[in-house]
Amino acid sequence: MGRDATRERLFTAAIELIAERGFTGTAVDQIAERAGVAKGTVYYNFGSKAGLFDALLDYGIGRLAGSLRTAAAGLDPSAALDAVVRAELLFLAEHESFARLLIAETWRRGGDWQHAALMIRERVVGVVADVLRASVDAGLLRADLDVGTAASAVFGMVLVVGLDWQALQPARPLAEVEATLLDLLRGRLAGSVPS
């Protein structure tokens, strides 16, 4: 097994275990066992459990940001927000354990929480902010919209609704969840701009 495949297995095992047991409740031995590798492999690849967690956040946040950016690429501003909301919901459906990890651990990890929250804000919320800014510039959203706060609210709302959908309403169709979110977003973000 190559190094990339080993790291992928370690990421998957760590995400699942930390989502199940929390960061402090997860031992390196457990991560290695679930990934099917020797304990030393974790240290060889990441240096420590904290190093693995930081790399895990970087990896997952990068994948989420890439999914959102790809979804919005080349679309006009009126369609880009819809595409970003749908991409976030699809990412959450595919990577529910990582989403739970973001909520449960990112803001709880001692002094490192600010670094993790900043990574999310810069890389993921930044994509949403770019989409909203383009919509403001196109006259689709109110000119006085606080884009940074609105982007955080959109990301957070979709994250929580997506987890609710996956945990409590998994049989509910994606299209219904997406439509409800978009109705809420359009009404609040557009303000006095006619539809």
Side-chain angles (χ1 to χ4, degrees):
M1 168 171 33
R3 183 169 179 167
D4 288 343
T6 299
R7 288 173 72 91
E8 183 72 30
R9 288 175 69 176
L10 286 167
F11 281 136
T12 300
I15 287 170
E16 290 170 357
L17 285 165
I18 293 170
E20 291 168 13
R21 303 172 183 187
F23 179 75
T24 56
T26 301
V28 171
D29 293 7
Q30 296 166 324
I31 294 169
E33 182 180 328
R34 181 150 315 172
V37 300
K39 179 179 176 180
T41 304
V42 176
Y43 293 108
Y44 173 75
N45 280 276
F46 302 104
S48 65
K49 184 170 86 168
L52 171 61
F53 186 80
D54 290 341
L56 179 65
L57 277 178
D58 186 57
Y59 175 77
I61 289 169
R63 286 185 68 178
L64 175 55
S67 293
L68 300 184
R69 195 170 308 288
T70 298
L75 296 178
D76 63 75
S78 63
L81 181 60
D82 295 14
V84 165
V85 167
R86 182 177 193 76
E88 186 175 345
L89 286 171
L90 288 170
F91 185 90
L92 296 173
E94 187 177 341
H95 305 285
E96 181 187 351
S97 294
F98 181 73
R100 284 189 287 129
L101 173 73
L102 280 179
I103 288 178
E105 296 296 333
T106 300
W107 284 271
R108 182 173 30 178
R109 278 193 71 227
D112 290 344
W113 72 270
Q114 286 182 321
H115 171 71
L118 187 59
M119 243 193 328
I120 294 166
R121 183 166 187 75
E122 289 175 351
R123 295 171 70 187
V124 178
V125 176
V127 175
V128 179
D130 291 345
V131 167
L132 294 177
R133 197 170 295 107
S135 291
V136 168
D137 292 347
L140 299 169
L141 300 178
R142 13 183 265 262
D144 66 341
L145 182 68
D146 176 351
V147 171
T149 301
S152 291
V154 168
F155 170 72
M157 185 169 77
V158 177
L159 178 65
V160 172
V161 169
L163 286 174
D164 176 82
W165 168 48
Q166 289 300 300
L168 303 174
Q169 309 173 62
R172 188 170 180 207
L174 168 67
E176 283 182 19
V177 176
E178 179 183 15
T180 301
L181 280 167
L182 290 172
D183 285 346
L184 287 168
L185 291 172
R186 285 189 190 106
R188 296 307 305 158
L189 295 174
S192 61
V193 174
S195 45

